[in-house]
Amino acid sequence: MSWQAYVDDHLMCDIEGQGHHLTAAAILGLDGSVWAQSSSFPQLKSDEVTGIMKDFEEPGHLAPTGLHLGGTKYMVIQGEPGAVIRGKKGSGGVTIKKTGQALVFGIYDEPVTPGQCNMVVERLGDYLADQGL
């Protein structure tokens, strides 16, 4: 299966049969290289990827400055140190799950809930981790 199929079929899928979808999604290598992304995913700057990687190594690193994706700032909310970063902006937000070789991103807005985004992103992240990726 191509990486694009993981994004299209597993991240940008219909959530719980309600016709709701994430706003954008992507899978990036730990070096910031894009493996696959939805057309709506923001173009990340290298310092944004560096900041995300630093926060996985040192949880709390992004809290004072916020999480930035393509210039959009998200307030960092509680995630799982070293495994998941969550951000909030207005009625939407972002979930980033780290695996052995990749970062799985999901960006959402209403009517998708934070819990639904977490479930979609973390389920794929756990699957990839189980595959040794």
Side-chain angles (χ1 to χ4, degrees):
M1 185 184 300
S2 75
W3 288 111
Q4 193 61 48
Y6 280 107
V7 170
D8 297 342
D9 301 344
H10 298 282
L11 293 173
M12 297 300 290
C13 61
D14 184 351
I15 297 172
E16 296 174 8
Q18 298 174 351
H20 303 154
H21 304 268
L22 295 179
T23 308
I27 302 172
L28 275 66
L30 296 182
D31 60 357
S33 60
V34 176
W35 292 6
Q37 64 184 20
S38 65
S39 59
S40 51
F41 192 76
Q43 181 67 47
L44 300 185
K45 301 178 179 104
S46 63
D47 62 327
E48 293 173 339
V49 176
T50 303
I52 291 165
M53 291 307 299
K54 183 102 171 144
D55 196 81
F56 279 120
E57 292 162 24
E58 298 173 23
H61 171 75
L62 289 174
T65 58
L67 165 65
H68 292 81
L69 298 177
T72 300
K73 182 177 177 179
Y74 294 85
M75 182 177 69
V76 179
I77 55 177
Q78 187 174 4
E80 295 168 33
V84 179
I85 296 172
R86 297 189 179 104
K88 186 97 177 96
K89 178 177 171 42
S91 60
V94 61
T95 302
I96 308 168
K97 169 79 176 179
K98 181 177 183 277
T99 72
Q101 297 180 25
L103 298 174
V104 181
F105 288 78
I107 298 175
Y108 67 93
D109 217 328
E110 286 185 332
V112 174
T113 66
Q116 289 171 323
C117 181
N118 294 343
M119 182 189 67
V120 169
V121 171
E122 293 176 39
R123 185 189 294 152
L124 180 61
D126 290 341
Y127 170 79
L128 294 176
D130 289 346
Q131 303 301 307
L133 294 167

